[in-house]
Amino acid sequence: MNLLSTVLHFVYLCRKVGYFHSLWSVGIYFKMLASFLSPGDPIDIHKRKLFLWFSHLPQEEKQFGGYFSPETMHVDPLILERNPEERLGLLSPCLQTQNSSFPSVTVEQLFEPTDAWSEDRGINVLLYGAVGTGKSTVIRKLVLDWCTGTTLANFKLLVPFSCEDLNQLSKMASLRDLVSRKYLHLKKHPLLSGEGSQAKDVLFLFNGMEKIQLDFRIGSTELCSDPNEALLPGVVVVNLLRKYLLPEASILVTTRLSALDRIPQKYISRYAQICGFTDPDRQRAYFTSRLLQQSGKTAHNQEAQALIELLYLSLQRESQLAAACFLPSYCWLTCATLHFLHFTSINAPIRTLTGIYTSFLRLNFGGEVLGTGAGTNVPIQGHHSSLMLYVVRTVGKLAFDGVTYKRTSFSERELEQWIGGKTKTDEELRQLAMFRTDVLDFFLAPCVGNDKYLSQDLSENDERRYVFAVPAMQEYLAALYMVLGENKSALEKLTRQVSMAIGQATEDVNALMNILSKFIPLRIFAIFNLLKLFPKLFEKISSRNKGSIARTMAAEMFRTEDSYNEDVLDQVEQSLLGVHGPQPKQYSEGQPFELYPIFMGGLLHYGNRVLLQQLGCSIQSSTVAQITLALRKYLVRELSKPQPPEELMDLLVLLYEFQNPRLTAEVLASIRAIRLTNIRMTPIKCFVLSTVLSCTPPSYHLEELDLSSCLLTHDMLQMLWPAFRHTHNLNLQFNSLGPESCILLRDLLLDSKILIRSLQLCDNPLLDSGAHTLLESLPKNQSLTHLSLMHTGLGDKGALELAERLQQHTGLQELNVAYNNIGDNAALTLVDACREHPSIHTVHLYLNPLSDVGKKSLYVRGVLRGHGGSGRHVKVLASVTEGSDISEDWHPILSVIRENASSWDHKRIKQQLKVFLTDLEWGRQQQQSFWKRLHFRKVEKGVKQTLQMLEKDTPSKRYHK
């Protein structure tokens, strides 16, 4: 029974990490199962535990849906072997690869015997690369493959160490103690005893060598060949590399570029550099492994395949994205952003764009510190500072200057000015050198192609310029620089330091002064009160500074020159996929930085502040409270002015990124209509709208929610259900809603908590089957007063069913069934039903194939009362004329035709307009009054202008009455 439970537990764990996706996985299963069946072997125990540890995916990977497994998500980056001389030329990995004559290698090939190899000495391999090239991922995959027996099979034992963990150990320990401390099952294992040549089957792996201080000077580090002798961890590592301790063992060390010289060349057998993804095919393979691992839905995979093709086209054009994606980290960021934009689900945890960028930085810089590098004898813990905070103060300052002056590219002189321009001490110089070598190229890349936002005078200088690897990263770092308060003047920073010092001193003596105040004269005691006053004065100054941050956010959100640009989420997508087809109209002259204020809001969210705290960047809760208080005032003030749909969408994204329900409810309380006409809605935009409106109380209702011409689909409609709960007038015209969507709309109207008064469904292919489903809601719905089903494919059958259902709903006042291919008989039946209805006063029937006799009958029946006076007067809009008179609604009819002509059948519309002209000509001939005939000619002119517009197939100015 115990054996069975062990096997079942293993199967569960394998499914948990995503195995059994391929035949290869099945083979791995049987190999690992064999190790479960022999639990007494320490090596098998070691493999099993390593496999489970290294199979764990970071939290950031779970946002893709959790369908990844190690063998499906990994794409090998390019690894090149370097000779000792070439390693010193620390060029950009892209340039190195293009000019290198060395073939690519695998880690396993680096441990193959060479002519200089001897059996009594193991091989020391140094694997190095810049930040984001994939060192940790390669190591992780290497360990997993060794556990399953697919690589490095010549080593019986693989012992991974984190140099960061070793650096935290302050007590002396022997090599065997270090191993058993982390891997208890290897305690006293004979391969580590040092006897004979058993250690030749051992491979030590030290990941992140730059995080541990190694001193190879004989006078500073004693020699040791006994694996049982207690030494400092750094000394143990040095003796292993010297081949003085377990010389037969092989060693793999990973490090960054700046730490290459920390290990003398004579102790390294082979150098290899990880160069990332240097060709579009590797990048495409990575995108495929990420974006195609969806929930198995065919529609999602088809959309993912289309995204991959667009990405591949962008990469082949040698765009700025291709220059950034040679780093696997930026491939991850690209996939995470596209997954957020296209595959957001209501069932998945809430994710924000700011959260993706913060997680991206935590993946690459979590726990990273900036030391002084080699050549210093100070303990490494004694002079480390947060690497991310250093990034904010240097690269963030550069980004902030670019956003302030609307620039995206920077010259080498500007980089020198902003990054390290005020460096003074030797320690600062060493930190700057490390930063430039390891980190700077991660954020900035040489400008590729022509930047349309570069000023003419700068372009003529033919000077090499640099841009942020991903455009949104500039706005993120600028926002972080602003929110952290790094843009303060020197006086403000000094004031803060003095205030803190006085405040602390005041707290220390406050208790004593409370006692002595009874004996000290009042004049002397007043001096101490003045000291306590200074921190309060600083608090007022600080609150004004937080107010300026909120004012900046509001000002950047509603810049007039950016009002009619694409909404911010579309801009993010275009920056990744490029623009295919006509270029979107750009109204602002410079580069729009509309993500900048949105990132500022997102950084104030608690979840992002927690991640930033781990990176050494602290945003205090008091700061958030002050900014939020001021921001609400500025947003409400701006929203009192009319805003274009794009600006409203950006505001919704800001509130969503902020993730502050109270602020969201207070801001939305000043909005009574959300009009998003012509916004290209996507799953994430629908989710944003629903999430934001869900923050409002149940009593809050919009007068109008306009989602016309938004490319809505049935799936999006389901995501928008929470938003529909808060609206009275719902406009869903000109979308792609079919009969299946009517089921959801029916349920919407049947919900007693939802009080929709007006529902506009014009130009949706509902058909008569969809109308049948929708009309099922009429008997129990009591709120609907206006229903528009114009151009929905009703036909005679749908019109007749509508006539039957009308009596079951007593509140309807206006019904629009124009342009539905309804004939005379069905139209007459519908109008009769409307006359018998207690509240319907207007019926739209124009653009239907009605005969002259039918139109006259409709007019007569609408005007006259029924027998016994039971019928009501109903306005029937069937043409621009009513009998021999002009309809008072001729102008709205022509306006509707003009607005919708681009999406309607031109041939059919022109035919109907010619019928209007015939009706107008006949009516004009019946008039005796000169003024009435003049009015007829005016209407004829409007119809002819509409007809000419259709014949030319070009939009014209709207005809004004």
Side-chain angles (χ1 to χ4, degrees):
M1 186 64 184
N2 290 336
L3 178 61
L4 178 59
S5 62
T6 301
V7 173
L8 291 176
H9 180 66
F10 174 75
V11 172
Y12 167 76
L13 290 174
C14 286
R15 292 186 64 185
K16 191 78 172 175
V17 301
Y19 269 71
F20 306 135
H21 286 276
S22 64
L23 292 176
W24 184 88
S25 302
V26 176
I28 299 301
Y29 160 70
F30 284 111
K31 290 182 180 180
M32 294 300 296
L33 181 59
S35 67
F36 272 99
L37 298 178
S38 56
D41 187 356
I43 298 295
D44 289 337
I45 296 175
H46 183 60
K47 287 184 176 181
R48 183 168 69 250
K49 291 190 174 183
L50 277 185
F51 183 84
L52 294 177
W53 288 336
F54 280 80
S55 293
H56 174 72
L57 296 177
Q59 184 68 29
E60 287 78 4
E61 297 288 3
K62 297 179 181 179
Q63 65 182 309
F64 292 99
Y67 296 95
F68 292 126
S69 59
E71 79 277 10
T72 60
M73 67 185 292
H74 181 78
V75 177
D76 289 318
L78 179 66
I79 301 177
L80 296 178
E81 185 174 4
R82 302 291 193 188
N83 58 44
E85 293 76 20
E86 189 181 14
R87 88 192 195 284
L88 297 176
L90 300 176
L91 304 174
S92 168
C94 286
L95 299 176
Q96 285 181 330
T97 303
Q98 294 170 359
N99 301 324
S100 176
S101 58
F102 290 90
S104 62
V105 295
T106 64
V107 176
E108 186 174 23
Q109 291 172 337
L110 293 172
F111 287 96
E112 293 178 353
T114 61
D115 296 337
W117 178 78
S118 60
E119 292 187 1
D120 58 341
R121 292 178 66 85
I123 299 175
N124 289 353
V125 174
L126 181 58
L127 184 65
Y128 65 94
V131 176
T133 50
K135 298 184 297 296
S136 298
T137 305
V138 167
I139 294 304
R140 177 178 173 277
K141 184 65 164 54
L142 181 73
V143 173
L144 290 174
D145 287 346
W146 177 80
C147 291
T148 57
T150 57
T151 191
L152 297 174
N154 52 319
F155 293 107
K156 295 180 180 179
L157 180 61
L158 173 64
V159 185
F161 281 107
S162 166
C163 290
E164 184 177 8
D165 292 343
L166 292 177
N167 187 57
Q168 299 300 319
L169 300 178
S170 57
K171 296 182 179 180
M172 294 193 297
S174 66
L175 172 62
R176 303 193 73 171
D177 289 339
L178 288 176
V179 174
S180 61
R181 183 183 186 127
K182 190 169 185 179
Y183 309 106
L184 181 62
H185 46 275
L186 296 180
K187 188 175 184 179
K188 298 181 180 180
H189 197 280
L191 291 178
L192 301 174
S193 65
E195 299 176 358
S197 59
Q198 295 184 86
K200 67 180 176 58
D201 296 324
V202 178
L203 173 62
F204 288 100
L205 195 162
F206 295 100
N207 190 29
M209 187 266 293
E210 71 277 357
K211 299 177 183 178
I212 188 172
Q213 193 75 15
L214 301 180
D215 193 341
F216 285 84
R217 294 175 296 176
I218 298 295
S220 301
T221 305
E222 59 183 296
L223 298 175
C224 174
S225 60
D226 184 3
N228 297 302
E229 183 177 348
L231 300 167
L232 289 174
V235 178
V236 173
V237 176
V238 166
N239 279 285
L240 282 171
L241 291 168
R242 282 174 173 167
K243 296 302 179 189
Y244 205 79
L245 178 61
L246 299 186
E248 302 86 0
S250 294
I251 302 173
L252 174 61
V253 178
T254 68
T255 189
R256 291 183 180 170
L257 298 172
S258 63
L260 276 177
D261 291 334
R262 292 193 187 180
I263 303 178
Q265 179 182 334
K266 62 182 178 180
Y267 298 128
I268 300 299
S269 308
R270 305 176 82 166
Y271 289 91
Q273 181 181 11
I274 298 183
C275 299
F277 300 149
T278 55
D279 61 274
D281 291 332
R282 290 179 189 267
Q283 295 166 355
R284 180 174 185 170
Y286 185 93
F287 295 141
T288 301
S289 69
R290 295 279 171 165
L291 295 176
L292 283 181
Q293 299 296 322
Q294 300 301 325
S295 60
K297 294 183 179 179
T298 305
H300 277 191
N301 279 341
Q302 289 176 350
E303 184 176 358
Q305 191 63 52
L307 289 177
I308 293 169
E309 294 301 325
L310 291 176
L311 276 172
Y312 190 60
L313 289 174
S314 181
L315 297 173
Q316 286 180 316
R317 290 197 300 264
E318 297 184 354
S319 62
Q320 198 67 52
L321 178 66
C325 283
F326 89 87
L327 290 176
S329 290
Y330 277 105
C331 291
W332 182 93
L333 179 60
T334 299
C335 289
T337 304
L338 289 175
H339 194 278
F340 168 75
L341 293 175
H342 287 269
F343 303 113
T344 294
S345 170
I346 56 177
N347 299 320
I350 289 182
R351 293 177 294 120
T352 64
L353 194 61
T354 312
I356 289 175
Y357 275 76
T358 306
S359 298
F360 169 72
L361 293 178
R362 192 180 79 96
L363 278 174
N364 288 279
F365 297 100
E368 296 286 347
V369 291
L370 188 69
T372 56
T376 59
N377 297 322
V378 184
I380 200 165
Q381 301 96 328
H383 47 68
H384 273 187
S385 59
S386 166
L387 178 57
M388 193 62 226
L389 189 58
Y390 192 90
V391 168
V392 174
R393 290 171 176 171
T394 52
V395 184
K397 188 176 183 180
L398 176 72
F400 178 75
D401 180 75
V403 170
T404 303
Y405 297 102
K406 309 304 174 188
R407 296 188 300 119
T408 59
S409 67
F410 309 90
S411 65
E412 292 182 349
R413 286 178 297 175
E414 289 171 323
L415 295 186
E416 182 66 31
Q417 173 188 353
W418 292 109
I419 301 175
K422 298 181 180 179
T423 303
K424 301 293 183 182
T425 65
D426 290 343
E427 179 178 343
E428 290 175 338
L429 287 171
R430 283 191 291 266
Q431 287 184 338
L432 177 61
M434 292 179 61
F435 180 77
R436 284 181 173 276
T437 302
D438 291 339
V439 181
L440 189 58
D441 287 342
F442 181 82
F443 291 102
L444 295 168
C447 185
V448 174
N450 296 322
D451 189 339
K452 64 179 180 179
Y453 297 110
L454 287 179
S455 60
Q456 184 67 25
D457 55 338
L458 291 178
S459 299
E460 291 175 353
N461 291 334
D462 197 24
E463 184 180 11
R464 189 173 192 182
R465 304 190 67 81
Y466 295 84
V467 297
F468 281 82
V470 173
M473 184 59 72
Q474 177 180 354
E475 300 179 73
Y476 178 90
L477 291 177
L480 186 56
Y481 180 82
M482 184 75 173
V483 172
L484 287 176
E486 293 297 329
N487 64 318
K488 294 178 184 175
S489 64
L491 178 61
E492 287 176 317
K493 293 181 180 179
L494 179 62
T495 304
R496 177 179 178 83
Q497 294 172 358
V498 173
S499 174
M500 291 177 64
I502 293 178
Q504 291 174 358
T506 305
E507 291 176 3
D508 293 337
V509 301
N510 194 37
L512 179 61
M513 293 310 301
N514 287 335
I515 299 174
L516 297 181
S517 61
K518 298 179 180 179
F519 309 101
I520 297 178
L522 293 177
R523 293 180 180 178
I524 300 177
F525 186 69
I527 297 176
F528 293 94
N529 288 331
L530 288 176
L531 289 177
K532 292 192 289 184
L533 177 64
F534 190 86
K536 295 180 180 179
L537 178 62
F538 167 74
E539 185 177 348
K540 292 185 177 180
I541 297 174
S542 176
S543 64
R544 289 178 62 88
N545 181 61
K546 305 304 184 298
S548 68
I549 294 177
R551 186 168 56 253
T552 299
M553 291 173 64
E556 291 292 332
M557 272 296 300
F558 300 102
R559 292 175 70 238
T560 304
E561 57 268 36
D562 294 338
S563 294
Y564 294 93
N565 292 341
E566 299 284 328
D567 68 81
V568 69
L569 293 179
D570 279 354
Q571 291 180 33
V572 172
E573 181 176 316
Q574 290 168 8
S575 70
L576 297 177
L577 301 178
V579 178
H580 301 270
Q583 292 286 331
K585 190 171 183 179
Q586 195 76 29
Y587 292 85
S588 55
E589 295 181 358
Q591 164 72 38
F593 291 101
E594 299 183 63
L595 265 178
Y596 170 54
I598 291 174
F599 277 143
M600 289 174 68
L603 288 169
L604 300 180
H605 176 229
Y606 176 75
N608 289 321
R609 288 191 285 126
V610 169
L611 295 180
L612 289 171
Q613 182 71 41
Q614 299 173 11
L615 292 169
C617 301
S618 178
I619 302 175
Q620 301 298 325
S621 297
S622 58
T623 300
V624 176
Q626 292 173 355
I627 294 176
T628 302
L629 183 63
L631 180 62
R632 184 192 65 81
K633 177 180 66 175
Y634 289 117
L635 289 180
V636 171
R637 180 187 304 172
E638 291 293 336
L639 287 173
S640 63
K641 312 168 189 175
Q643 298 295 337
E646 293 81 5
E647 289 293 285
L648 274 179
M649 189 69 242
D650 291 350
L651 170 69
L652 295 173
V653 174
L654 170 65
L655 295 175
Y656 173 78
E657 293 283 326
F658 212 123
Q659 293 290 304
N660 187 324
R662 181 177 179 180
L663 172 69
T664 299
E666 290 175 349
V667 171
L668 290 182
S670 62
I671 299 177
R672 287 304 169 196
I674 295 180
R675 299 182 179 92
L676 300 177
T677 307
N678 294 319
I679 294 293
R680 184 181 66 91
M681 294 299 285
T682 59
I684 181 57
K685 293 178 189 177
C686 295
F687 187 72
V688 165
L689 178 58
S690 291
T691 303
V692 168
L693 285 176
S694 296
C695 296
T696 58
S699 59
Y700 173 80
H701 283 88
L702 292 168
E703 285 301 318
E704 181 182 8
L705 177 58
D706 188 348
L707 296 173
S708 58
S709 302
C710 289
L711 302 179
L712 290 176
T713 64
H714 176 67
D715 291 338
M716 294 181 193
L717 208 62
Q718 291 179 314
M719 299 182 74
L720 288 168
W721 179 279
F724 296 156
R725 291 178 172 271
H726 296 276
T727 185
H728 288 317
N729 301 320
L730 180 59
N731 189 343
L732 298 175
Q733 298 182 113
F734 312 110
N735 286 293
S736 303
L737 306 177
E740 69 281 358
S741 299
C742 291
I743 300 175
L744 189 143
L745 294 173
R746 177 199 62 193
D747 296 341
L748 190 70
L749 294 175
L750 288 174
D751 193 328
S752 59
K753 298 180 180 179
I754 301 177
L755 302 177
I756 292 181
R757 299 170 185 165
S758 174
L759 179 60
Q760 301 183 57
L761 296 171
C762 169
D763 265 85
N764 286 289
L766 305 181
L767 306 179
D768 56 354
S769 59
H772 172 78
T773 303
L774 182 65
L775 296 177
E776 292 176 356
S777 63
L778 292 184
K780 295 184 179 180
N781 177 274
Q782 300 301 322
S783 63
L784 193 64
T785 59
H786 293 74
L787 177 62
S788 175
L789 298 174
M790 180 171 63
H791 197 210
T792 54
L794 285 183
D796 288 344
K797 182 178 178 181
L800 292 173
E801 182 172 0
L802 178 59
E804 294 177 6
R805 297 272 189 177
L806 280 181
Q807 300 307 319
Q808 300 173 349
H809 187 282
T810 58
L812 204 62
Q813 299 176 9
E814 186 172 354
L815 180 63
N816 189 340
V817 290
Y819 196 6
N820 268 306
N821 202 29
I822 299 174
D824 290 352
N825 293 333
L828 289 170
T829 303
L830 181 60
V831 169
D832 287 341
C834 292
R835 289 175 58 235
E836 298 299 326
H837 193 275
S839 58
I840 292 180
H841 56 71
T842 304
V843 182
H844 300 253
L845 281 166
Y846 46 87
L847 298 182
N848 282 302
L850 302 173
S851 66
D852 292 339
V853 175
K855 284 186 282 189
K856 292 177 182 178
S857 300
L858 290 173
Y859 171 70
V860 171
R861 293 200 184 189
V863 173
L864 299 179
R865 293 181 175 271
H867 296 291
S870 61
R872 298 174 55 255
H873 170 69
V874 176
K875 182 187 295 184
V876 181
L877 305 182
S879 178
V880 292
T881 60
E882 292 180 353
S884 60
D885 292 325
I886 292 179
S887 170
E888 62 182 17
D889 296 293
W890 69 268
H891 183 263
I893 292 175
L894 288 185
S895 297
V896 168
I897 295 174
R898 285 174 175 270
E899 291 172 356
N900 305 311
S902 60
S903 61
W904 286 352
D905 182 2
H906 283 198
K907 182 178 179 180
R908 182 173 175 182
I909 298 301
K910 286 190 285 186
Q911 181 181 358
Q912 289 293 320
L913 289 174
K914 291 176 181 178
V915 172
F916 286 173
L917 288 175
T918 302
D919 293 342
L920 288 168
E921 184 178 358
W922 179 84
R924 177 165 47 83
Q925 293 173 354
Q926 308 303 313
Q927 303 302 321
Q928 301 297 324
S929 170
F930 169 78
W931 298 111
K932 284 190 175 183
R933 290 200 301 269
L934 188 63
H935 192 195
F936 267 88
R937 290 194 179 276
K938 181 180 179 181
V939 178
E940 286 182 44
K941 183 180 178 181
V943 175
K944 289 178 180 179
Q945 286 180 343
T946 306
L947 191 59
Q948 290 173 359
M949 181 191 74
L950 291 174
E951 290 174 346
K952 293 180 180 179
D953 199 23
T954 57
S956 64
K957 294 182 180 179
R958 181 177 296 183
Y959 176 77
H960 295 283
K961 185 174 179 180

